Amino acid sequence: MASKPRLINTKEAPPPRPFYNQAVIANGFVFCSGQLPKDSTGKIVKGTIQDRVYQCIRNLEAVLESAGSSLEEMVEANVFLSDMEDFEKMNEVYLEWFGDIKPVRISVAVKSIPEYTDVEMKCVALL
């Protein structure tokens, strides 16, 4: 029997806009919305693409932990880049966060990302 979805929103990650939540828990999974590379003030992180990838993953980590999960429980990751020239730089940071069992992943280039940044990440994790 399917469980009723539960909403997750934490102050440890940038607040979501009114039309979505940071995550939804359903049937033993945590479905995280896309995380932009925003710091605790809601501003896009300056610096390199690596700095912004780090912030996206840190935001996902905060949301997952708030839901009672973790990056170690992540089973799927989706990475959106505004420029595939950043693919290897993104992977440099991404690989620092995951051990032998890495989540399945898709990385795609998109025309634009909200707030005109260059990366956004979302994921699904086990509860």
Side-chain angles (χ1 to χ4, degrees), residues 93-127:
V93 176
Y94 184 90
L95 288 171
E96 293 176 17
W97 291 81
F98 300 100
D100 292 334
I101 300 177
K102 295 168 186 59
V104 298
R105 190 181 88 182
I106 187 170
S107 300
V108 296
V110 295
K111 183 176 179 179
S112 63
I113 295 172
E115 301 192 35
Y116 303 101
T117 189
D118 49 5
V119 62
E120 181 174 8
M121 300 175 79
K122 69 176 289 300
C123 73
V124 177
L126 299 172
L127 192 54

Side-chain angles (χ1 to χ4, degrees), residues 8 23-26 28-32 63-64 67-69 123-127:
I8 299 296
V24 172
I25 295 175
F29 290 95
V30 182
F31 299 88
C32 292
V63 173
L64 289 172
S69 187
C123 73
V124 177
L126 299 172
L127 192 54

Side-chain angles (χ1 to χ4, degrees), residues 1-5 26-28:
M1 183 152 124
S3 65
K4 183 177 179 181
N27 296 327

Side-chain angles (χ1 to χ4, degrees), residues 8-126:
I8 299 296
N9 287 302
T10 178
K11 293 180 182 184
E12 301 302 314
R17 292 214 168 143
F19 43 84
Y20 68 94
N21 292 287
Q22 290 170 331
V24 172
I25 295 175
N27 296 327
F29 290 95
V30 182
F31 299 88
C32 292
S33 292
Q35 289 293 313
L36 296 175
K38 290 183 175 183
D39 63 18
S40 60
T41 69
K43 303 276 187 212
I44 297 291
V45 171
K46 304 274 187 209
T48 66
I49 181 71
Q50 292 97 325
D51 295 328
R52 287 183 291 284
V53 169
Y54 177 89
Q55 188 64 50
C56 287
I57 295 173
R58 176 62 194 102
N59 292 343
L60 287 172
E61 180 180 51
V63 173
L64 289 172
E65 287 177 358
S66 176
S69 187
S70 68
L71 290 175
E72 291 79 26
E73 299 298 321
M74 189 186 295
V75 294
E76 179 183 67
N78 297 328
V79 180
F80 306 93
L81 296 167
S82 63
D83 186 345
M84 271 306 197
E85 292 292 320
D86 291 328
F87 182 74
E88 293 305 325
K89 293 175 185 173
M90 177 272 298
N91 281 320
E92 290 172 16
V93 176
Y94 184 90
L95 288 171
E96 293 176 17
W97 291 81
F98 300 100
D100 292 334
I101 300 177
K102 295 168 186 59
V104 298
R105 190 181 88 182
I106 187 170
S107 300
V108 296
V110 295
K111 183 176 179 179
S112 63
I113 295 172
E115 301 192 35
Y116 303 101
T117 189
D118 49 5
V119 62
E120 181 174 8
M121 300 175 79
K122 69 176 289 300
C123 73
V124 177
L126 299 172

